[in-house]
Amino acid sequence: THATDMPEEHKNEHPSYEYYRRNLLPRGLSKESAVSLYELPLGKSAFPYHYHLKNEESYYILKGTGKIKTPQGELIVTEGDFIFFPANANGAHKMTNTSDTESLIYLDFDTIHDVEVAVYPDTNKIGIFTDTIRQLHKRDESVPYYEGEEVSQ
């Protein structure tokens, strides 16, 4: 299959975030991995700064220049660079296209787990993702475990 044969998804819901994605190995076709081709327009990021608790990610840069925010600082990435993000706080990342002239194009390799949690340290959010649930919550807005449960008679 050629990448251009795969449907392209365009997401542009926030002024700082925009991407084009082609799922080369879509979720569902494989139970434990996914591969996507991303294109980031000038000055845009795909996702906010985050890390995963179960899913590992790796990026391979095909074209362009970008910056990845990590817990260790910012990395400049260019064509041919490979970056691995472990499933913990040390794997936090945010990719941004820093080129003035061209899109940033990269492959994103992901492991997949039935239940995934992503943490967004800069905005104090937590994301819960399953096949049927895609929710984001503020980390400090929790409820007691038994709140709303009926009292047995």
Side-chain angles (χ1 to χ4, degrees):
T1 302
H2 194 274
T4 57
D5 294 336
M6 304 304 286
E8 183 176 73
E9 172 191 0
H10 180 214
K11 190 166 185 178
N12 184 13
E13 299 173 355
H14 185 282
S16 298
Y17 299 93
E18 181 179 5
Y19 65 79
Y20 297 86
R21 175 173 63 191
R22 293 180 189 271
N23 292 317
L24 305 180
L25 180 60
R27 294 172 189 246
L29 185 59
S30 171
K31 289 191 72 81
E32 298 182 3
S33 60
V35 179
S36 298
L37 178 67
Y38 278 89
E39 179 177 345
L40 302 184
L42 305 180
K44 301 293 184 172
S45 300
F47 303 100
Y49 186 62
H50 69 284
Y51 63 90
H52 302 271
L53 296 183
K54 295 294 273 178
N55 293 347
E56 297 173 328
E57 277 188 273
S58 298
Y59 292 169
Y60 181 74
I61 310 303
L62 297 171
K63 180 181 175 188
T65 304
K67 172 180 66 178
I68 298 179
K69 177 181 176 178
T70 73
Q72 296 76 33
E74 293 183 346
L75 296 168
I76 301 301
V77 294
T78 59
E79 182 178 325
D81 285 341
F82 180 83
I83 310 96
F84 170 70
F85 306 105
N88 58 46
N90 290 326
H93 58 282
K94 175 184 176 181
M95 172 78 85
T96 303
N97 181 354
T98 57
S99 174
D100 293 329
T101 59
E102 65 182 348
S103 294
L104 175 63
I105 300 174
Y106 63 97
L107 289 170
D108 179 358
F109 303 89
D110 299 312
T111 59
I112 303 296
H113 292 85
D114 289 342
V115 177
E116 170 60 322
V117 175
V119 178
Y120 300 82
D122 288 351
T123 53
N124 196 36
K125 293 182 296 199
I126 190 165
I128 302 165
F129 306 102
T130 72
D131 288 343
T132 59
I133 298 171
R134 297 190 67 76
Q135 296 182 350
L136 290 162
H137 301 275
K138 287 290 191 180
R139 289 183 72 183
D140 55 3
E141 293 178 4
S142 63
V143 297
Y145 185 74
Y146 293 107
E147 181 177 300
E149 300 297 327
E150 292 185 23
V151 177
S152 301
Q153 298 288 340

